[in-house]
Amino acid sequence: MKSIKKYLVLVLLAGLGIFPNLKAQNDLQISRVFELYGDKKGSVMVELTDEMLEGYDFSLFKSITINNNLPAADYIRKCLAKDEAGAKKVKQVVSNGVPTSIYLQLPRKGQLYRLILFNETYKPVQKITLIYIESKNDSEDVLKLILKKK
Amino acid sequence: MKIRIKHKTDFSQVDYLIEKYYDGLTTVDEEKQIQYFLSQPDLPERFEAEKDIFGYYDHKKKKPHKSILPYFRWASAAAVLAAIVFSLQVFMNTNRSNYACIDGKKIYDVHQIKSQALESLQEVSSKTNEVEDGFKNLNDYQLIEQQLDVFSGL
């Protein structure tokens, strides 16, 4: 009887642990960036789902722009470095030894292609932009579309 | 025919039945009689072996019946809880709202959200282009040439 109870509790705990991961971004370190800086002063966070992004055909678009926050930039770079470990494709621009522009093509999660874009500029002010995209289209096509719509 | 055995009075009948038992000739009824006899306290030591044999069967017989009702209770409780958690998760996933959060203030105006999204896209697209261009412009031949140039002055 005791073992049955233990078993059921374990199943429940496993369930509670697994269900939150249904959100594809939750396995990524950058999800912490959105949680941490999303509602801070000087930040602009956007979350859009499919019905509003018809032109781009994204399932999920999530972005955050942070102004004048060097520690945030360092934190994001650390998160990206961890997410980079599981990335399929990585492109980056390094300026003075620091990556200022990063593109990560992540492995598919279910039917969704996922990619992360990061950019940091210093002129006129220090500005960080981090974007997370989920799409049913191939990441390369998504990137091409972004560049085309520039 | 039923034989009621009182161990203090008559062991011979029991001995006879036990012998019959070992020969494999006892009936179910007779085995029950032996069992009844052996279940009595203060029996002589010579019946210890038979007590063990019949005691085993007796123990097996008296094994408490486990009710599966508590298992069902636990299983149903777990199922209900899992269903609630799953529903919440599905609800949360399907109910992803479209919003922008500017300086900690949430806005739900579609046009504003879109313009903010496009702004951030443009911010990265210019730089991504730089990366793409950089990759296009740079090829192995140029790289090798550049690296060899360093040694040309030597």
Side-chain angles (χ1 to χ4, degrees), chain A residues 1 4-5 8-9 12 15-16 19-20 22-25 38-49 51-53 56 58-63 65 90-93 100-101 103 117-121 127 129 131 133-134 143 146-147 149-150, chain B residues 66-67 69-71 73-83 85-86 89-90 92-93 96-106 108-132 135:
Chain A
M1 185 67 184
I4 290 282
K5 282 179 187 173
L8 288 169
V9 168
L12 274 173
L16 289 169
F19 287 134
L22 289 174
K23 272 188 173 182
Q25 84 211 30
D39 56 357
K40 293 276 187 302
K41 211 177 174 197
S43 299
V44 176
M45 184 170 74
V46 178
E47 187 172 327
L48 287 168
T49 43
E51 72 266 25
M52 287 184 69
L53 291 164
Y56 284 100
F58 297 153
S59 299
L60 174 69
F61 172 91
K62 211 165 175 181
S63 76
T65 309
V90 182
K91 287 179 185 177
Q92 51 179 282
V93 174
T100 54
S101 204
Y103 159 63
L117 299 158
F118 166 78
N119 182 48
E120 185 182 15
T121 52
K127 191 177 185 180
T129 308
I131 297 176
I133 294 168
E134 283 174 13
L143 194 65
I146 292 169
L147 299 176
K149 291 212 175 193
K150 187 187 143 188
Chain B
K66 275 190 181 177
S67 168
L69 197 66
Y71 296 91
R73 276 190 201 144
W74 270 91
S76 53
V80 168
L81 198 58
V85 171
F86 183 73
Q89 290 296 332
V90 169
M92 279 164 75
N93 275 347
R96 278 175 178 171
S97 54
N98 296 308
Y99 68 91
C101 191
I102 303 169
D103 291 329
K105 197 183 166 191
K106 274 194 178 181
Y108 297 94
D109 180 73
V110 178
H111 299 293
Q112 259 186 298
I113 300 166
K114 272 188 174 179
S115 72
Q116 291 293 344
L118 288 169
E119 209 175 290
S120 53
L121 266 175
Q122 279 165 2
E123 200 67 48
V124 289
S125 66
S126 57
K127 276 283 175 177
T128 317
N129 253 350
E130 279 177 31
V131 182
E132 292 293 317
F135 277 108

Side-chain angles (χ1 to χ4, degrees), chain A residues 92-110:
Chain A
Q92 51 179 282
V93 174
V94 180
S95 174
N96 295 322
V98 180
T100 54
S101 204
I102 301 170
Y103 159 63
L104 298 183
Q105 194 179 314
L106 301 163
R108 274 171 68 176
K109 189 127 191 182

Side-chain angles (χ1 to χ4, degrees), chain A residues 34-88:
Chain A
F34 292 105
E35 284 168 17
L36 203 64
Y37 294 100
D39 56 357
K40 293 276 187 302
K41 211 177 174 197
S43 299
V44 176
M45 184 170 74
V46 178
E47 187 172 327
L48 287 168
T49 43
D50 6 37
E51 72 266 25
M52 287 184 69
L53 291 164
E54 285 160 12
Y56 284 100
D57 205 11
F58 297 153
S59 299
L60 174 69
F61 172 91
K62 211 165 175 181
S63 76
I64 186 164
T65 309
I66 307 167
N67 291 321
N68 298 316
N69 195 333
L70 287 168
D74 289 337
Y75 181 71
I76 294 170
R77 265 188 283 269
K78 275 178 193 165
C79 289
L80 286 167
K82 283 181 184 167
D83 290 337
E84 195 183 306
K88 262 170 71 185

Side-chain angles (χ1 to χ4, degrees), chain B residues 6-128:
Chain B
K6 297 275 181 189
H7 74 270
K8 281 176 185 169
T9 53
D10 192 2
F11 290 129
S12 61
Q13 273 188 332
V14 180
D15 288 332
Y16 165 73
L17 285 175
I18 287 171
E19 206 171 309
K20 210 175 160 188
Y21 172 76
Y22 285 131
D23 290 338
L25 299 170
T26 46
T27 63
V28 175
D29 218 38
E30 285 167 337
E31 280 173 23
K32 275 182 185 170
Q33 286 173 45
I34 302 169
Q35 217 164 9
Y36 172 75
F37 168 79
L38 293 171
S39 68
Q40 294 175 96
D42 306 315
L43 289 175
E45 260 185 46
R46 66 188 175 93
F47 290 110
E48 282 301 305
E50 285 74 26
K51 264 178 92 175
D52 283 346
I53 294 165
F54 282 87
Y56 167 73
Y57 293 123
D58 195 38
H59 172 71
K60 198 178 174 185
K61 198 179 156 190
K62 281 180 185 170
K63 204 176 178 182
H65 174 69
K66 275 190 181 177
S67 168
I68 54 167
L69 197 66
Y71 296 91
F72 272 120
R73 276 190 201 144
W74 270 91
S76 53
V80 168
L81 198 58
I84 291 167
V85 171
F86 183 73
S87 311
L88 275 172
Q89 290 296 332
V90 169
F91 175 75
M92 279 164 75
N93 275 347
T94 51
N95 203 29
R96 278 175 178 171
S97 54
N98 296 308
Y99 68 91
C101 191
I102 303 169
D103 291 329
K105 197 183 166 191
K106 274 194 178 181
I107 55 164
Y108 297 94
D109 180 73
V110 178
H111 299 293
Q112 259 186 298
I113 300 166
K114 272 188 174 179
S115 72
Q116 291 293 344
L118 288 169
E119 209 175 290
S120 53
L121 266 175
Q122 279 165 2
E123 200 67 48
V124 289
S125 66
S126 57
K127 276 283 175 177
T128 317

Side-chain angles (χ1 to χ4, degrees), chain A residues 18-38:
Chain A
I18 289 162
F19 287 134
N21 285 331
L22 289 174
K23 272 188 173 182
Q25 84 211 30
N26 280 15
D27 63 330
L28 300 171
Q29 292 295 315
I30 55 145
S31 63
R32 292 184 184 187
V33 176
F34 292 105
E35 284 168 17
L36 203 64
Y37 294 100

